[in-house]
Amino acid sequence: MRVMDDQAHAARTMWNCLHAWWQMMPKDKRTLAAADTQIRQARKDLDFLGKLPAQAAQAVLKTYFRAWLNCWEGRADEPAFKGRFRSVMSVDIPQGRDLQIQRVHRRWGMVNIPKVGRVRFRWTKDLPVGRKANADNRITGARLVKDALGWHIALRIQTLQATPAPHQGPEVGIDAGVNIPLALSNKDHQDHGRAPRLPDGTADRDKWLTPKEKAKLLRLEREAARRTSFREKGEKVSRRLRHTYDQIKQLRAKATRRALDWQHQTTTHLARRYGVIVVEQLTITNMVRSARGTIEEPGKNVKAKAGVNRSIAQEAWGRTVTMLTYKTARYGGALHKVPAPNTSRRCSACGFTVPGSREDQATFVCKNPDCGFECNADWNAARNILHLYRIGHVIVEVPAAGRRGRRAGKTVKPVAAR
C-alpha cells in the first residue's frame, strides 16, 4: 500500500500548491484553465506529483474550485492548507471505467486502482456491474480513504429512483441527550446500551469498547507514556512507540465505527417508522464550549464541564440530525426543527416554566402547585418539542447572506394552533 500512500500525499501537496497559487495570483487570472496549466507543468517538473494519476490530479482541481463555490454560496468556510497529520489521506478516481470491478466471491470483489493494479475489497452492497450496469444505473467513480484500520474504497453510483410516496407514519418529537441518546415523545426511546459515565461519575470516553479492549487501551496508553518520558526534546519517534500509537489509533477507529453503525441503524429505523420527525435547533459549538475562562476570571467546575462536553461530542448529535434529514426524505417523510429554549424546563403537562422543576438531571418534577407532573426529563423535553411543531413554531433554514459557512434560522409562528 506504499504506492497508495504516495498518491495520497501527492494529492494533499497538489491541493496546497493550488491554494498557494490562488493566493498569489490576481483575481482576474484565477481561472480553471490557468490552474490546469499550472498543474500539468508541476506534474512534469516534480516527480513526486507525477505519482498521482492525471485524472486524480484533475479531481483535486475540481474539488478545490468547488470548495470556493461552496464558500461563496454560504455553505462552507474558505478552503485552507491541508496539514500532513491533520488531514485525511484520500485519493479520488473520477472515471468509473478505470475501476473494472468484478465479483469473484460472495464476500469479495476485485477493483483496478490506477498505478496500483488489481486490489481485493469487501463486497457489502449490490453493485451495478456487468449486465446490471446501464446508462441510468452505473458506477461513476470511487474515492480511496485511509484511517487507522487501513485503506477503504467508497464507490459513487448513479441511479434513478422513483419519488417516494408521502409517509403515512405518525409524528414524533426527539430530544437528544446523554443519559438517553434519543428520547422520543411516545416513550420509544433509542438507547445504545453504553453507559455515558463510570461508577465514579466521570465521563466514559471509551464506552464503545469492550472491557478487554478498554484494558488493552489502558495498557497501550501507559506504555506510550512511559516510552515518551525517555525521549529527548526533538528526538525522532522510535519504531516501537510509533507501533504503539498505531495500535491506539486502531482501537479508537474501531470505537468510532461502532458508534457510526449504531447511528445508521437507529436513524434508518426512525425514518422508516415515522412520517414526521421533530428535533430542536441546537448550537452544539456553544454547548461544548470550555468553561476554563481566563486568568482574570477563571471558570468554575471546569473538570465536570469538560466531562459533559466530551459526552456530548461522543453522541454526535449533529451527525444524527444530518442522517435523519436525508433518510426521512428517502422514505417520504419530513424532518422539522423547532426552537430549543426552555424545552427541557417547561412542563409538558401544564405548559408552565417554573424555576426548580429541573433540579435533578434525570427527572423532571413540575413545581406548579396545580400540576405536580413528574416524569423522565428527556421524555418531557421530547413532548415539548413535538408540541412546538404542532402549534406551528417551526424553524425554516435559509442561506445567510454575507456569512460564510453559516445558515440563518427563521421561526415561522402560527396564525392559529393546529
Side-chain angles (χ1 to χ4, degrees), residues 208-221:
W208 290 99
L209 298 177
T210 63
K212 289 185 178 180
E213 291 171 341
K214 289 182 180 180
K216 181 180 179 181
L217 179 62
L218 180 60
R219 177 180 59 82
L220 291 173
E221 289 179 341

Side-chain angles (χ1 to χ4, degrees), residues 107-266:
R107 288 187 174 184
W108 299 98
M110 296 293 292
V111 60
N112 182 67
I113 305 299
K115 293 193 176 184
V116 176
R118 302 293 289 175
V119 179
R120 187 179 68 168
F121 71 97
R122 184 70 177 269
W123 198 287
T124 57
K125 286 188 176 182
D126 190 20
L127 301 176
V129 296
R131 296 181 179 179
K132 297 181 180 180
N134 52 56
D136 297 329
N137 189 26
R138 58 192 178 90
I139 297 176
T140 59
R143 188 174 184 83
L144 302 173
V145 182
K146 185 180 182 181
D147 62 5
L149 298 176
W151 280 97
H152 313 280
I153 183 170
L155 301 173
R156 291 190 294 269
I157 300 176
Q158 174 184 324
T159 182
L160 292 179
Q161 293 184 349
T163 302
H167 201 300
Q168 302 300 325
E171 303 171 345
V172 66
I174 299 179
D175 175 67
V178 176
N179 295 323
I180 300 179
L182 296 177
L184 275 63
S185 57
N186 58 359
K187 289 190 176 182
D188 184 21
H189 307 321
Q190 303 296 314
D191 191 2
H192 45 57
R194 310 279 179 170
R197 295 188 177 275
L198 297 173
D200 59 357
T202 58
D204 185 7
R205 62 174 183 173
D206 305 318
K207 60 184 177 181
W208 290 99
L209 298 177
T210 63
K212 289 185 178 180
E213 291 171 341
K214 289 182 180 180
K216 181 180 179 181
L217 179 62
L218 180 60
R219 177 180 59 82
L220 291 173
E221 289 179 341
R222 288 177 175 176
E223 184 178 349
R226 181 181 61 84
R227 289 176 176 169
T228 304
S229 64
F230 292 101
R231 286 182 59 211
E232 298 292 340
K233 186 176 181 180
E235 184 181 356
K236 186 178 179 180
V237 179
S238 65
R239 187 175 300 176
R240 289 185 178 181
L241 182 56
R242 190 182 299 111
H243 179 65
T244 304
Y245 284 153
D246 291 341
Q247 289 180 301
I248 294 175
K249 290 179 181 178
Q250 289 175 5
L251 289 174
R252 298 290 188 195
K254 187 178 295 185
T256 302
R257 281 192 177 188
R258 290 172 182 171
L260 187 62
D261 179 69
W262 179 84
Q263 279 187 309
H264 274 294
Q265 293 189 24
T266 304

Side-chain angles (χ1 to χ4, degrees), residues 385-414:
I385 292 171
L386 181 60
H387 177 70
L388 288 175
Y389 165 75
R390 287 176 173 173
I391 64 176
H393 287 272
V394 180
I395 295 178
V396 179
E397 293 186 343
V398 294
R403 295 174 59 192
R404 295 192 296 269
R406 300 291 185 268
R407 299 179 72 87
K410 181 181 179 181
T411 304
V412 179
K413 295 185 178 180

